[in-house]
């Protein structure tokens, strides 16, 4: 009986144990789900966003290079004479892209590139795709330069210097050859030349300035009791019609004075200016009635210089410097000095021609008609001050210029003396230009060739820099 009770208890325990086990849920096994790696997309952006060559990174560069981009073509302009073989560049390309030249990566602001021949720039995107950009650079304008150098060789010119403005910006200035006849001193943009009769353009503007300032009228008479100069020159009573000569007649070369039997300024070099003028007025008859006939007259422009002195109380040179040149930022134009030993600073040496030395005649005596010295650059700076355009304030009003060649869309003026030739002109209301040299030809053919060359080369050119080299002053 005792054993039977023990068996019952054991069975009961096993039953309870099994019930407890069956009612307890098994723990849930959580399966770890591993996602596949995300696919990385590499950038295909490969644009050349910005590109520059700055003077900050290139000490020999006087002004930042002008970069003009059209699509994938880049055109770079630099001043004349710039070495294009080692220029550091700045750029911005698409994010994660690289810039390469000839397969080599270009360091921003650090890698020097050779632009002396066309360059292909490659922008490589992060995904390895590429985009090419073609780049050409210009410092010297090859066609203009070769044409000028041919002119020099053909005409045995020691040197030439030129300047071109477009839209009142100095876009090109260049110089060739040597400033001295021994070929030891290189001419520069700062070299100055005698500009001969181009001086008459300066004198004419000075007279127009006086008109603007109310100091004279074009119809004012010049000589005699009612004239601006009164009886300062010559001995009254004056010859027929001299007292009828007006300022306008002198400006327009219609005063009646001629160079016959010879130009009084190229004889009697020891005479003073007073003696020369007195002799002309007292001893030469007018060839025509004033205002009737055009005859190019150096003497007429000499007298305009004297009018300027009379009305301003200043020397002709000082009036022009203070009232015309200084407001235009021109500091290095001066009347030439007699004798080679008195050559101005930076003045070139002149060839001896026609058995006549450039230093033999009295250049100080021809101030208002042919005495100025200037660089080609300063001459173009003068021209933009009289071109009737909105950018640079003109030194005289359009009203004062009415009736003169200054109102033309295109005009040109030549200057020529033994040892020097100069040309200044305006073209298509957009360009001003000047070119000077230290030689000349007789008959006066070199001026014509210089003019034709400049005009043809300007018109033939389709692209120009946008920078303004005047900003380097």
């Amino acid at each position: 009986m005792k054993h039977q009770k023990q068996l019952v208890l054991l069975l009961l325990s096993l039953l309870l144990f099994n019930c407890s086990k069956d009612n307890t849920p098994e723990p849930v096994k959580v399966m770890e789900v591993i996602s596949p790696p995300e696919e990385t997309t590499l950038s295909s952006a490969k644009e050349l966003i910005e590109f520059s060559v700055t003077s900050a990174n290139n000490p020999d560069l006087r002004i930042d290079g002008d970069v003009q981009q059209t699509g994938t073509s880049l055109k770079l302009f630099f001043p004349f004479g710039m070495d294009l073989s080692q220029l550091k560049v700045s750029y911005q390309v698409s994010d994660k892209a690289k810039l390469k030249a000839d397969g080599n990566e270009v360091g921003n602001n650090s890698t020097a590139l050779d632009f002396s021949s066309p360059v292909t720039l490659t922008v490589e995107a992060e995904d390895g795709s590429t985009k090419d950009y073609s780049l050409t650079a210009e410092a010297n304008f090859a066609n203009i330069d070769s044409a000028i150098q041919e002119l020099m060789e053909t005409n045995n010119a020691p040197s030439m210097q030129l300047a071109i403005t477009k839209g009142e910006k100095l876009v090109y200035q260049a110089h060739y050859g040597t400033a001295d006849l021994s070929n030891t001193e290189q001419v520069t943009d700062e070299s100055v030349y005698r500009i001969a009769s181009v001086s008459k353009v300066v004198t004419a503007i000075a007279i127009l300035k006086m008109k603007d300032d109310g100091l004279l009228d074009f119809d004012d008479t010049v000589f005699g009791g009612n004239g601006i100069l009164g009886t300062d020159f010559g001995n009254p009573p004056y010859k027929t019609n001299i007292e009828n000569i007006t300022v306008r007649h002198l400006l327009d070369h219609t005063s009646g004075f001629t160079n016959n039997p010879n130009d009084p300024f190229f004889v009697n070099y020891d005479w003073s200016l007073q003696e020369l003028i007195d002799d002309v007025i007292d001893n030469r008859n007018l060839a025509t009635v004033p205002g009737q006939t055009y005859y190019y007259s150096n003497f007429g422009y000499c007298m305009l210089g004297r009018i300027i002195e009379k009305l301003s109380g200043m020397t002709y040179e000082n009036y022009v410097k203070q009232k015309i040149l200084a407001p235009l930022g021109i500091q290095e134009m001066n009347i030439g000095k007699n004798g080679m030993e008195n050559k101005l600073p930076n003045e070139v040496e002149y060839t001896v021609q026609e058995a006549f030395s450039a230093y033999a005649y009295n250049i100080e005596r021809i101030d208002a008609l042919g005495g100025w010295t200037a660089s080609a650059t300063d001459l173009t700076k003068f021209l933009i001050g009289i071109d009737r355009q909105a950018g640079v304030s003109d030194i005289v009003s359009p009203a004062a210029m009415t009736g003169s060649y200054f109102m033309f869309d295109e005009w040109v003026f030549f200057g020529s003396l033994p040892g020097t030739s100069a040309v200044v002109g305006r073209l298509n209301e957009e360009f001003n230009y000047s070119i000077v040299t230290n030689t000349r030809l007789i008959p006066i053919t070199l001026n014509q060739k210089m003019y034709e060359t400049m005009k043809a080369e300007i018109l033939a050119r389709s692209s120009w820099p946008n920078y303004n080299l005047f900003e380097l002053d």
Side-chain angles (χ1 to χ4, degrees), residues 12-24:
L12 184 60
S13 297
L14 288 172
L15 179 63
L16 291 172
F17 174 79
N18 286 334
C19 288
S20 173
K21 180 178 178 182
D22 289 341
N23 291 333
T24 301

Side-chain angles (χ1 to χ4, degrees), residues 48-55 57-58 61 64-67 69 74 76 78 87-92 99 108-109 113 115 121 135:
L48 181 59
I49 299 170
E50 291 182 7
F51 191 87
S52 61
V53 183
T54 66
S55 55
N57 292 328
N58 299 274
L61 186 59
D64 290 351
D66 177 42
V67 181
Q69 182 172 353
L74 283 82
L76 275 66
F78 299 96
L87 292 173
K88 295 179 181 179
V89 302
S90 305
Y91 63 86
Q92 181 182 352
L99 182 66
N108 214 335
N109 303 324
L113 298 180
F115 293 141
L121 296 174
L135 183 152

Side-chain angles (χ1 to χ4, degrees), residues 60-176:
D60 292 334
L61 186 59
R62 297 182 296 154
I63 195 170
D64 290 351
D66 177 42
V67 181
Q68 300 178 14
Q69 182 172 353
T70 304
T72 58
S73 296
L74 283 82
K75 178 80 175 185
L76 275 66
F77 291 98
F78 299 96
F80 176 87
M82 184 65 195
D83 181 2
L84 302 182
S85 65
Q86 293 288 315
L87 292 173
K88 295 179 181 179
V89 302
S90 305
Y91 63 86
Q92 181 182 352
V93 293
S94 300
D95 188 35
K96 299 181 181 179
K98 300 175 182 177
L99 182 66
K100 294 184 176 181
D102 299 326
N104 299 313
E105 188 170 346
V106 178
N108 214 335
N109 303 324
S110 61
T111 302
L113 298 180
D114 185 355
F115 293 141
S116 56
S117 57
V119 175
T120 298
L121 296 174
T122 301
V123 180
E124 182 179 313
E126 186 185 29
D127 66 359
S129 60
T130 60
K131 184 175 183 179
D132 288 340
Y133 292 80
S134 61
L135 183 152
T136 57
E138 252 187 316
N140 296 16
F141 291 177
N143 290 344
I144 292 178
D145 294 343
S146 61
I148 297 302
Q149 288 166 355
E150 182 179 351
L151 262 183
M152 290 175 58
E153 292 172 8
T154 303
N155 298 284
N156 296 315
S159 71
M160 284 191 178
Q161 187 193 70
L162 65 85
I164 302 170
T165 68
K166 179 179 184 291
E168 300 194 313
K169 295 179 180 179
L170 179 62
V171 293
Y172 195 59
Q173 57 181 174
H175 51 268
Y176 318 83

